[in-house]
Amino acid sequence: MSKKYDFDYIVIGSGPAGSNAAITLSKAKKRVAIVENRFLGGTNLNAIDVPYAVALDFSHSFHKLSSLPEFRSQELTFNNPSVINRELKTIVNISKNEHKAYEESGVVCLDGFANFIDQHTIAIGTKTITGSHFIIATGSHLKTTEISGTDTFTYLTPESAPRIRRTPEVIAVVGAGSTGCEIASYYAELGTKVILLEMAPRILPREDNEVSEVTLDYFTKTLHMTVLNSSKVVAIGEDKNSKYVIFQYGTTEKMVRIEHIILATGYTPNINFGLENAGVKYKNSGITVNKYFETSAKNIYAIGDCIGGNDSTTERAYQQGITLATNIINRSKTIPNYLGIPRITNLAMGIATVGYNEEDLLRRDRKFKKSVIKFSNITAGSIYNTPNGFVKLLADRNNYIIGATIVSPHAHLLIQEIALAIRHHIAAIELASTPHVINSYNYAVKLAARNLVSKK
């Protein structure tokens, strides 16, 4: 690379996409800098994945203990600031590992907001820095444009929601996708009255219908939430009495009063940093790239949430960062292999999907075989009192596993063997013949696979 530039590669954004690209390139002896305007590690470490894992681990345990008959004679209490401090300590500890990884690989960390001046130059505050190539990995931010009052009223976001110092009496969560359901369950498990509003006809609209039904049943009957589907929030605000949410249900407009409002209304790409100055084409839906993550500017790439798409996950972003860096180093043209990457919703009855789900296949008019094992039919369901969980396996006509949905405690662990089967083209008979612990949840995987083998 030419020495006339400060760096060979400047990566903008330190989430899983940007950080993995930066470290991989630096280990290949490239001169690499990474720019971050907030906290190293991006949303994954600081806002959603890690803090939610800590918070939900606590709320699931608290609710389970407080619901056991053996504890009904005692009132369990908790210290909310201590829970928040545990989240923050976990972030700090993991952040130390992030910093260490950058130091050991030789990546230079630059603090501030990057703005393109031209195709080879960015400004960070009053400083200008040049790069032969750039990798944009700026992530996304909360989408609120369709709700009146968001520009003047203080609401909570998925990032700030788990850090309320005093547990609220009643909250409204707007949006019942994966993140919204996690926020709602967190506070409901701690004893807060939760009103969950979703514009779609059912919660978790990306999942199969029975997933929505099981989750709705858990939310309403076990956690005593109020779930309002087909409810479009049009305004939020506050008067002398309280905060409120106004929503449309059919042709009727209604209002609910609450203590806090949490918006989990989806995300939109971060693209406001002078892309036009660098000749990078983009739309409101994200930066325009080809399948190799090349933008319209020949020396600039883009990866992660900033390129848009409906299937964004931390694992996909990680794969994009590694694939791009490897292509640069090897001068190759490889596209990421997303096969076997699961999608997780971290509830007490966790939800994990990998490969196709049933609705995907029906939309594609693709023939498939299905096997569902309910936990009410296996020993583990009785042992752990989780009869509503299930394992669903999908296979093609040759009995190769092409998809799965699991609703279960620790679903993120149960899904891993199925992810392996999908990624490496393993047939149902291989899963069926693999020994599984009989009194465990994943015995349902074996039984579901065995049913597929027996189907004509």
Side-chain angles (χ1 to χ4, degrees), residues 111-286:
D111 183 24
F113 185 87
N115 195 70
F116 277 100
I117 297 175
D118 58 41
Q119 195 169 334
H120 289 282
T121 312
I122 57 171
I124 303 177
T126 59
K127 296 181 180 180
T128 58
I129 300 170
T130 60
S132 175
H133 293 79
F134 288 85
I135 298 173
I136 303 169
T138 47
S140 58
H141 63 276
L142 189 68
K143 179 169 58 179
T144 61
T145 52
E146 296 180 359
I147 301 175
S148 175
T150 55
D151 54 343
T152 58
F153 176 74
T154 301
Y155 54 86
L156 295 172
T157 67
E159 178 177 353
S160 60
R163 297 174 186 173
I164 306 173
R165 304 298 291 185
R166 184 182 65 81
T167 307
E169 295 291 329
V170 55
I171 63 169
V173 178
V174 182
S178 180
T179 301
C181 284
E182 288 178 350
I183 296 169
S185 72
Y186 172 71
Y187 277 108
E189 286 172 342
L190 297 183
T192 297
K193 180 181 178 182
V194 176
I195 302 168
L196 179 61
L197 299 108
E198 170 56 45
M199 185 167 57
R202 58 187 177 88
I203 63 174
L204 295 167
R206 290 188 64 192
E207 306 299 341
D208 283 340
N209 188 60
E210 64 261 54
V211 175
S212 299
E213 290 177 353
V214 169
T215 306
L216 178 63
D217 186 73
Y218 174 72
F219 280 179
T220 56
K221 294 180 181 178
T222 303
L223 298 183
H224 308 294
M225 285 188 207
T226 299
V227 179
L228 302 174
N229 294 324
S230 302
S231 301
K232 182 180 180 180
V233 174
V234 295
I236 60 175
E238 184 175 13
D239 57 26
K240 63 180 180 180
N241 296 314
S242 68
K243 298 172 184 176
Y244 60 81
V245 173
I246 298 174
F247 63 96
Q248 291 177 343
Y249 183 80
T251 58
T252 306
E253 191 168 272
K254 299 185 178 184
M255 181 177 71
V256 292
R257 293 187 176 275
I258 68 293
E259 187 176 342
H260 288 289
I261 299 167
I262 302 169
L263 299 186
T265 46
Y267 293 88
T268 189
N270 290 327
I271 53 177
N272 186 24
F273 43 92
L275 291 174
E276 58 279 357
N277 298 331
V280 175
K281 293 181 180 180
Y282 64 94
K283 302 175 183 177
N284 289 336
S285 57

Side-chain angles (χ1 to χ4, degrees), residues 56 81 121 149 155 312 354:
L56 288 163
T121 312
Y155 54 86
S312 175
V354 65

